[in-house]
Amino acid sequence: MSNSLKKAGESVAKQALKVPRAVTAKEAPMIQPATESTTESMMPWRGWDKLSSYLKEKLGEERYAALHKFVTYRPGDIHEMHQIPNPSTKVPISKDDPNLTAQFRYPSPGSQPPVRMPKAEPGSTREDPYNVTYYTRDTGRRGLDPANPFPELQKIKLELMDPNSPEVQEMKEALEPQSSPGNQGNFATGPTDYDPTGLRASMSANHAALEESLDANMPDHLPYPDWYDKQEEVVAWYKERDLQVPFGATGYGTVPTERRVARS
């Protein structure tokens, strides 16, 4: 018998409950799950409702309320101290609209449309949602670590120095990282190819791949200065006072005059 026929036979043999109720482990394989949850509590102490009605009838509303407040803990709790709220309990969530309520797991997560996960640009370092590495695209702090300076900038600085100086030659040699090139994807558990760059694991990370990743993530936009939209106004201000127009414009982050007065 094929698996499809076997499953079809099992579904036919299962019986649907007319009224939702708790089932035993022995009954479970032969009962079809209910599509709706019961609105009646299955808690054994709910039988005290009859006693509450009897006491309310004999004592009256005012005396019963006083007794209920004295005997019970937090009598006004909307969930009746249940750790998991009853699905039918409607919790008010608005002070202005009494009809605005919320219910536990309502609407049911299973009745909602599938979650839409935004996808990054194909081929980018963020295409894989499980790749949470940030150092591979941290271009803002590139070269700030004295132990790992920006190679291109350091090369420009060294070109302006005396090439015959032993110190300069030593610094040129230090530009090439001397650390391990990584395990090339060969781990103790065997070779892996899920990350060709090797930057997602510390054992396979290497300087060459890191520099290549940082180069690919370097910003390529040209930012405009703060005074770009008012440059004509800035130039006119200097010309009116017969002053030489400087590069850029001042005014952003200036210190008040009283703060610039020398104090003894």
Side-chain angles (χ1 to χ4, degrees):
M1 181 182 294
S2 63
N3 291 334
S4 59
L5 292 177
K6 185 177 180 181
K7 291 182 179 180
E10 292 177 353
S11 61
V12 173
K14 290 183 178 181
Q15 299 178 357
L17 294 176
K18 295 182 180 180
V19 178
R21 62 176 178 82
V23 297
T24 63
K26 186 177 180 180
E27 294 177 306
M30 304 302 297
I31 294 180
Q32 186 177 357
T35 57
E36 295 182 1
S37 176
T38 178
T39 57
E40 296 182 3
S41 175
M42 298 180 184
M43 304 299 179
W45 56 82
R46 294 297 294 175
W48 287 94
D49 286 347
K50 296 180 180 179
L51 177 61
S52 300
S53 301
Y54 175 78
L55 292 176
K56 190 180 297 183
E57 179 182 354
K58 297 300 181 180
L59 299 177
E61 291 287 346
E62 185 176 352
R63 291 183 178 180
Y64 172 79
L67 177 64
H68 186 257
K69 185 177 181 180
F70 175 77
V71 174
T72 59
Y73 175 70
R74 296 184 66 179
D77 184 59
I78 192 172
H79 299 297
E80 299 180 347
M81 303 303 297
H82 294 174
Q83 292 184 352
I84 299 180
N86 295 325
S88 58
T89 303
K90 296 182 179 181
V91 181
I93 57 176
S94 175
K95 295 181 179 180
D96 303 327
D97 188 1
N99 297 323
L100 191 60
T101 59
Q103 292 179 248
F104 177 69
R105 293 178 67 84
Y106 178 84
S108 173
S111 63
Q112 301 303 302
V115 177
R116 185 186 65 84
M117 180 180 293
K119 296 183 178 180
E121 182 180 354
S124 65
T125 56
R126 285 167 284 184
E127 181 181 7
D128 187 350
Y130 296 101
N131 186 6
V132 296
T133 56
Y134 181 64
Y135 79 102
T136 58
R137 47 190 173 89
D138 187 11
T139 58
R141 287 179 286 190
R142 187 180 189 183
L144 297 182
D145 185 5
N148 187 25
F150 189 24
E152 299 299 329
L153 181 60
Q154 291 299 113
K155 288 180 181 179
I156 296 176
K157 292 180 179 180
L158 293 176
E159 290 296 332
L160 302 176
M161 299 182 183
D162 184 10
N164 299 322
S165 172
E167 295 180 355
V168 174
Q169 295 178 4
E170 184 180 351
M171 286 188 289
K172 286 184 178 180
E173 295 177 358
L175 285 178
E176 299 297 331
Q178 302 297 323
S179 62
S180 171
N183 61 7
Q184 307 298 325
N186 297 315
F187 293 86
T189 55
T192 58
D193 57 355
Y194 69 94
D195 178 29
T197 63
L199 296 176
R200 292 184 60 177
S202 58
M203 296 297 293
S204 60
N206 56 87
H207 279 282
L210 175 60
E211 295 298 334
E212 184 179 353
S213 176
L214 292 175
D215 289 340
N217 286 277
M218 286 294 288
D220 56 0
H221 63 282
L222 298 176
Y224 287 94
D226 180 65
W227 46 263
Y228 182 82
D229 294 331
K230 56 180 182 179
Q231 50 186 316
E232 295 182 357
E233 179 184 346
V234 174
V235 172
W237 187 90
Y238 283 96
K239 287 186 176 181
E240 290 175 359
R241 292 161 176 76
D242 196 21
L243 298 174
Q244 184 178 1
V245 181
F247 290 100
T250 59
Y252 179 75
T254 55
V255 180
T257 304
E258 60 273 13
R259 295 292 302 276
R260 290 184 277 121
V261 176
R263 298 179 182 272
S264 57

